[in-house]
Amino acid sequence: MFNEDKTIAAAQKVMLEILQEIHKICVENNLTYWLEAGTLLGAVRHKGFIPWDDDSDVSMPRADYEKFLKIAQKKLPEDMFLQTQDTDKEYPLPWAKIRKNGTLLVETGNEKYHHGIFVDIFPYDYYESEEVIKKLQWSRTTKDEKNKYPKGSLKRIFAGLYANVFCFASMRAIEKKRLYLIEHRDEYTADKCQFFSYAADVGYVYPNTVDEILPVKLAENVFEGFSFYIPNKPDRLLEATYGSDYMQLPPVEQRKTHAKKIGVNF
């Protein structure tokens, strides 16, 4: 469901074009992908975009992700750009984006990297246990807690002290484990692991089981009238991420876009 705002609707149409290109490349090269996060929620709840959403997400198993990056550089149309830390030296994030040249979507500030309208592509890795994932979740949440409060406020100061002083030993041990997982990710495979989530260097990880995602399935006319792949058990994933009431619309005041600036025709 495209937004009534013409600028957001135009941006969503660009994202849909990119999603179709990702689907095409993956199908032609036998690569696995699936709609992720808010894009999956949009597919299930709205049969398309969440009306106020200004980004789109897909995910891939690590092996397919690495293959996709190599193929996409050759197969993407000239008006699209595969953005990684290798193709854009100013780009700071550890996952890929495909951006549309001649468009603009500024998320945070005035960084020098390519700011075209985009689709995020996340790599997924396997994890040995739910305990490891919960520790990674706790570490990330604890680090991020202080950012909820204004700079210089007592709450922010105390949250920082809690994370950096009282939890120092635990945080350090978890960080060592996180770095180990990144360095040795090839050792964790589907035949050895039950859990499957974002790569440890992406950010938040979730205790998804492999069978909740794989095998993916082709959902006909699931997103703006087009067919895309979705996880094996989308309802379980959406409930774990957004709560049991994920089919209910959030309050109006929470229906916000992410971008600071959007432009389509440049």
Side-chain angles (χ1 to χ4, degrees):
M1 182 184 297
F2 293 117
N3 195 292
E4 293 180 0
D5 181 290
K6 291 183 179 180
T7 300
I8 296 177
Q12 290 172 341
K13 289 176 182 177
V14 171
M15 286 181 265
L16 179 59
E17 180 185 354
I18 298 172
L19 286 171
Q20 290 175 283
E21 197 64 39
I22 293 170
H23 174 81
K24 177 183 176 183
I25 290 174
C26 287
V27 169
E28 289 178 349
N29 293 277
N30 197 30
L31 302 177
T32 296
Y33 84 91
W34 59 91
L35 301 184
E36 177 70 69
T39 307
L40 178 61
L41 177 60
V44 172
R45 192 172 69 190
H46 302 271
K47 292 296 181 183
F49 286 99
I50 297 173
W52 53 92
D53 206 1
D54 58 3
D55 67 359
S56 289
D57 310 291
V58 302
S59 291
M60 301 178 185
R62 169 71 58 180
D64 294 85
Y65 174 83
E66 298 292 351
K67 292 176 184 177
F68 179 87
L69 296 186
K70 293 178 181 179
I71 295 169
Q73 290 191 64
K74 301 175 182 178
K75 296 295 185 180
L76 282 174
E78 292 184 359
D79 61 351
M80 292 183 189
F81 172 65
L82 175 66
Q83 185 176 48
T84 67
Q85 292 178 344
D86 292 326
T87 63
D88 187 341
K89 298 303 181 183
E90 300 292 335
Y91 179 65
L93 300 175
W95 65 86
K97 295 176 185 282
I98 292 181
R99 299 208 184 243
K100 177 82 168 182
N101 295 329
T103 67
L104 180 71
L105 195 153
V106 179
E107 298 173 88
T108 55
N110 297 313
E111 296 88 351
K112 296 179 181 179
Y113 56 79
H114 192 307
H115 277 296
I117 293 168
F118 65 89
V119 171
D120 283 311
I121 307 174
F122 295 103
Y124 261 51
D125 289 328
Y126 295 98
Y127 292 86
E128 57 191 320
S129 70
E130 187 173 6
E131 180 184 3
V132 169
I133 290 175
K134 287 185 175 179
K135 286 181 178 179
L136 291 170
Q137 285 180 320
W138 173 81
S139 175
R140 180 60 185 262
T141 301
T142 302
K143 289 178 181 177
D144 289 350
E145 182 69 21
K146 68 176 183 179
N147 296 327
K148 295 179 181 179
Y149 308 113
K151 291 183 178 180
S153 68
L154 285 176
K155 287 185 176 180
R156 188 180 180 104
I157 292 170
F158 283 129
L161 286 172
Y162 175 75
N164 298 320
V165 179
F166 296 106
C167 299
F168 177 77
S170 296
M171 298 282 276
R172 185 176 182 183
I174 294 170
E175 179 62 12
K176 287 179 67 176
K177 180 65 175 179
R178 189 183 74 86
L179 293 174
Y180 180 89
L181 289 169
I182 294 169
E183 185 176 352
H184 297 269
R185 56 176 43 122
D186 291 341
E187 298 174 14
Y188 297 88
T189 56
D191 60 326
K192 298 178 182 178
C193 299
Q194 181 183 357
F195 297 93
F196 195 41
S197 187
Y198 294 123
D201 49 348
V202 165
Y204 283 102
V205 293
Y206 299 93
N208 311 316
T209 57
V210 175
D211 72 304
E212 288 175 336
I213 298 172
L214 302 177
V216 296
K217 52 191 180 184
L218 182 64
E220 299 289 342
N221 305 317
V222 71
F223 197 89
E224 302 298 347
F226 293 92
S227 301
F228 292 98
Y229 281 90
I230 63 173
N232 185 38
K233 299 177 181 178
D235 294 340
R236 285 173 60 173
L237 291 172
L238 290 171
E239 183 172 345
T241 304
Y242 299 102
S244 59
D245 61 346
Y246 66 85
M247 290 298 289
Q248 301 298 317
L249 293 176
V252 174
E253 62 271 17
Q254 294 180 17
R255 302 176 193 177
K256 297 179 180 179
T257 56
H258 303 95
K260 289 188 174 183
K261 187 176 182 180
I262 299 174
V264 177
N265 296 312
F266 281 83

